[in-house]
Each structure stands twice: as structure tokens, then as C-alpha cells.
Amino acid sequence: MILRIVAILTLLAMALAHGGHEQQPIPADADWTVRHMSEEHHITSFDAGSFFNLHDYDGSNEWTLDDILKTYGLRHESTDHIPYAEKEKAAKSVIDLYDRDLSGSISFAEYTIGAAQGLTLPDFGWGPGHHGDDEYEYEIHHFEKFHGDDATEEELTHPEDVAHFRKHDMLEQQAERQEAMDRMRIVEANIPMKFRRHG
């Protein structure tokens, strides 16, 4: 646990030390891991252990199929067009690449030893691996790139801005409707038709 905390603090320090939110140029020959860290986390200097710990979402010291799906962004709506069977096949191929003890997952040791031996996470051609929530993804992939901290509301007119704030409005309306229903003693809409009084 202490090792995980140290690794996360190290990554945080590196992220804060890069000087700003601008994307650093990515070498044309960069592997998927380097592109992922640069595009998704704005981190350009990291080691295999830090990468592993950052993507060990539950702190279990192993990557499960679900961790790999999430790291590759295969749980994100931007990959909804990819059939689940294809996503699962890709994630299992990653496990097969590193899983030396055939446990069905990748341990910290298996990943870091594999990386030291030259193994790299494969690029399936599905993008950088969006695994943040909507706010994070909007901020890192749109707002930072096209606006900046001094942007005014009037400047937020790109289609991505409109869609982002439309979603906020929809969620706010849903919350207001739920609050109104929560205040009702009986929510008639929740009563099946056969049990309602007619007349």
C-alpha cells in the first residue's frame, strides 16, 4: 500500500512539474503506453511500476480483465461501436502477453519484469484509452486544447462545448425531477396500471 501511495505521489509530482496543461509533442515512433500517458495523463516521464500502479484501479496489485478494458478505454462511450467480444479478445491477448503464472491476471511483478524484457502494451488502433469521467475527458481533450483558464462562457461555442453543457443541463433536469418525486408521498407513475384506480 505504501509503495502504491509513493508511486501515485511521484506521478502527481511529475504531472504538476510539467509546467502547464499543454500537450507535449509525442514522438512518431512512440508505443501505445507512451502515447496513452502523454495524451490521457499529460505525463511524459514514467517507469513501468508507476504506469502499473496508476492503472491498478482497485489497488489489488494485479490487472484484471476489467482493469485492462478500462485502461484501453474500452469501457468509455467512445468505443461503443466496437463489439464487446472484440474488446474482450484484445484484453485477453494483453493478459496472455504478460501472465506468466497463468492466473488470468497480470501482477505488478509480471508487468514490470515483462516491460524490463522489452514487452510493450499492444496498440489495437482504438485510440489513447479514455478512462476518465466525462469532466476529465472534456477538460483534458478539449477545454485545455482549445480554450484555457481565462475562457469566458461566451467563448465556449464549439460543438464539444455545446454537447458537454447540454449533458450537464440534462443531468440537472433529471436531478430536479428526482427531487420532486422524492418529496411526493406516492409517485403514481411508479404504480403499475393494473393497481391504479380508474374512474
Side-chain angles (χ1 to χ4, degrees):
M1 183 65 170
I2 292 185
L3 178 62
R4 180 176 170 76
I5 292 169
V6 169
I8 291 171
L9 290 175
T10 301
L11 284 172
L12 181 60
M14 287 189 290
L16 294 174
H18 72 38
H21 294 287
E22 56 281 340
Q23 170 105 22
Q24 300 297 316
I26 303 170
D29 63 344
D31 65 27
W32 184 85
T33 306
V34 170
R35 284 198 334 277
H36 171 80
M37 290 296 279
S38 180
E39 292 179 26
E40 289 300 306
H41 302 288
H42 290 185
I43 297 174
T44 57
S45 178
F46 60 94
D47 62 16
S50 298
F51 184 89
F52 184 93
N53 285 326
L54 183 64
H55 297 92
D56 179 11
Y57 303 104
D58 63 1
S60 64
N61 204 36
E62 70 175 0
W63 283 351
T64 62
L65 183 76
D66 195 55
D67 290 322
I68 294 165
L69 288 168
K70 186 173 181 181
T71 298
Y72 273 94
L74 300 177
R75 296 268 189 234
H76 190 268
E77 64 188 22
S78 65
T79 63
D80 284 350
H81 65 284
I82 302 168
Y84 182 77
E86 214 173 313
K87 295 175 182 182
E88 187 177 49
K89 181 180 175 187
K92 284 181 178 179
S93 75
V94 172
I95 290 174
D96 291 343
L97 188 61
Y98 290 91
D99 183 18
R100 306 229 177 208
D101 65 3
L102 304 177
S103 64
S105 62
I106 302 170
S107 70
F108 178 87
E110 288 171 326
Y111 180 75
T112 55
I113 290 169
Q117 293 174 341
L119 291 180
T120 59
L121 291 173
D123 184 348
F124 298 106
W126 296 328
H130 302 303
H131 56 76
D133 63 18
D134 289 344
E135 286 301 313
Y136 177 81
E137 294 296 339
Y138 169 75
E139 178 82 20
I140 198 166
H141 293 295
H142 181 75
F143 192 85
E144 289 179 359
K145 192 180 282 186
F146 298 105
H147 300 300
D149 294 334
D150 59 346
T152 64
E153 193 172 330
E154 292 75 29
E155 295 171 328
L156 303 177
T157 58
H158 298 153
E160 295 86 351
D161 300 316
V162 173
H164 180 77
F165 291 109
R166 183 180 303 128
K167 187 171 185 176
H168 271 277
D169 292 343
M170 180 191 71
L171 292 172
E172 190 174 305
Q173 290 167 358
Q174 286 175 345
E176 288 171 2
R177 282 194 300 274
Q178 185 63 48
E179 284 178 26
M181 285 195 295
D182 289 347
R183 287 191 298 270
M184 299 171 82
R185 287 184 56 206
I186 298 174
V187 180
E188 191 172 322
N190 291 342
I191 302 172
M193 289 301 289
K194 67 182 181 179
F195 296 114
R196 292 187 195 182
R197 288 191 184 142
H198 301 287

